[in-house]
Amino acid sequence: MSKIYRIGQIVPSSNTTMETEVPAMLLAHSQVRPEDRFTFHSSRMRMKTVQKDELAAMDAESDRCALELSDAKVDVLGYACLVAIMAMGLGYHRVSQKRLTDRTAENGATAPVITSAGALVEALKIMNAKKVAIVAPYMLPLTQLVVDYIANEGLEIVAWRALEIPDNLDVARHDPFKLPEIVSNMNVADADVIVLSACVQMPSLPVVPMVEAQTGKPVITAAIATTYSILKELKLDPIVPGAGALLSGAYPYL
């Protein structure tokens, strides 16, 4: 019997990618699991430039967004900004997920909350990754925060690249077809998994299969990891055609 699931997303006001890539993956899931159907609902936090102080101010708006989305009684709620969480301190995704889930409960519409930051960390562990290569669009200091955050979760970062794009709209305009060449200029030989986009705003989905074929390594992105976590929370099969190894069905839920 088919069911319609309401997917809520908390997104930065300048984000134009998460509301395309996540729905694209879930709609692709529906092609192979037609009984699973989805609607998509968003609430926005103000943010234009990817800087630590602006990210902190944006994060303070996430409680309001969680309340708004719980008014729609969404089935799952995703916080779609990886660096905003990671810039708030090591392990902060756990704090954010609990606080925002509590906000939905206080509103009488409890919904499980995931963060793209927590989803990425969980995905790497599900894939038994020990060593990771990372591509991120951020300036060097923020990219270092991301590297340190992931390393603090018990993973070794063997290669990373900061594209140093300060404006969030410019991050969304970055051509994903430049990513295979960027990866080809990195030393990823020791990496167990390549994080092709450690950012939900930098488009990457079209080239994930290409980079997997190019490197012979499993490739994930923050958006792919978020989609996996959404499907997990909904207890739906983690299968999305064309979305790389994590969503191939090879990694059942732990």
Side-chain angles (χ1 to χ4, degrees), residues 31-237:
Q31 294 299 307
V32 293
R33 295 290 187 273
E35 66 276 14
D36 302 338
R37 300 162 60 197
F38 306 94
T39 62
F40 304 97
H41 315 276
S42 299
S43 182
R44 308 182 89 76
M45 311 170 285
R46 290 298 306 282
M47 190 269 279
K48 295 173 74 174
T49 57
V50 191
Q51 299 176 5
K52 197 171 187 301
D53 57 346
E54 194 164 341
L55 291 169
M58 183 190 75
D59 180 68
E61 295 188 44
S62 61
D63 290 67
R64 169 186 57 77
C65 294
L67 283 171
E68 290 178 358
L69 289 166
S70 66
D71 284 345
K73 288 187 164 52
V74 295
D75 294 294
V76 62
L77 199 161
Y79 186 128
C81 186
L82 178 138
V83 72
I85 293 292
M86 293 191 177
M88 294 294 288
L90 300 175
Y92 181 72
H93 66 276
R94 298 178 182 88
V95 176
S96 174
Q97 287 167 197
K98 182 182 184 307
R99 190 185 74 246
L100 297 179
T101 299
D102 288 346
R103 296 294 87 78
T104 69
E106 290 163 5
N107 198 32
T110 303
V113 176
I114 62 172
T115 66
S116 51
L120 182 62
V121 168
E122 180 186 23
L124 291 168
K125 293 181 179 181
I126 286 167
M127 299 174 84
N128 295 313
K130 301 292 187 289
K131 299 180 178 182
V132 181
I134 296 172
V135 181
Y138 317 119
M139 305 302 286
L140 280 168
L142 280 179
T143 304
Q144 186 66 61
L145 279 176
V146 171
V147 167
D148 292 345
Y149 193 103
I150 295 172
N152 185 66
E153 296 290 332
L155 296 147
E156 180 182 351
I157 314 304
V158 296
W160 58 277
R161 172 78 185 274
L163 303 186
E164 299 191 83
I165 306 171
D167 184 271
N168 205 35
L169 283 176
D170 288 337
V171 171
R173 295 184 185 109
H174 186 266
D175 182 358
F177 288 91
K178 292 181 178 179
L179 290 171
E181 182 179 1
I182 289 168
V183 172
S184 73
N185 291 318
M186 298 169 63
N187 183 3
V188 300
D190 291 337
D192 300 314
V193 176
I194 297 169
V195 180
L196 190 60
S197 177
C199 173
V200 296
Q201 174 76 325
M202 186 168 73
S204 54
L205 187 59
V207 297
V208 167
M210 189 185 305
V211 177
E212 287 190 329
Q214 169 187 310
T215 62
K217 309 272 187 183
V219 172
I220 65 170
T221 71
I224 286 172
T226 302
T227 302
Y228 182 96
S229 287
I230 287 171
L231 291 169
K232 179 181 178 181
E233 287 292 347
L234 298 175
K235 298 180 171 59
L236 304 178
D237 290 339

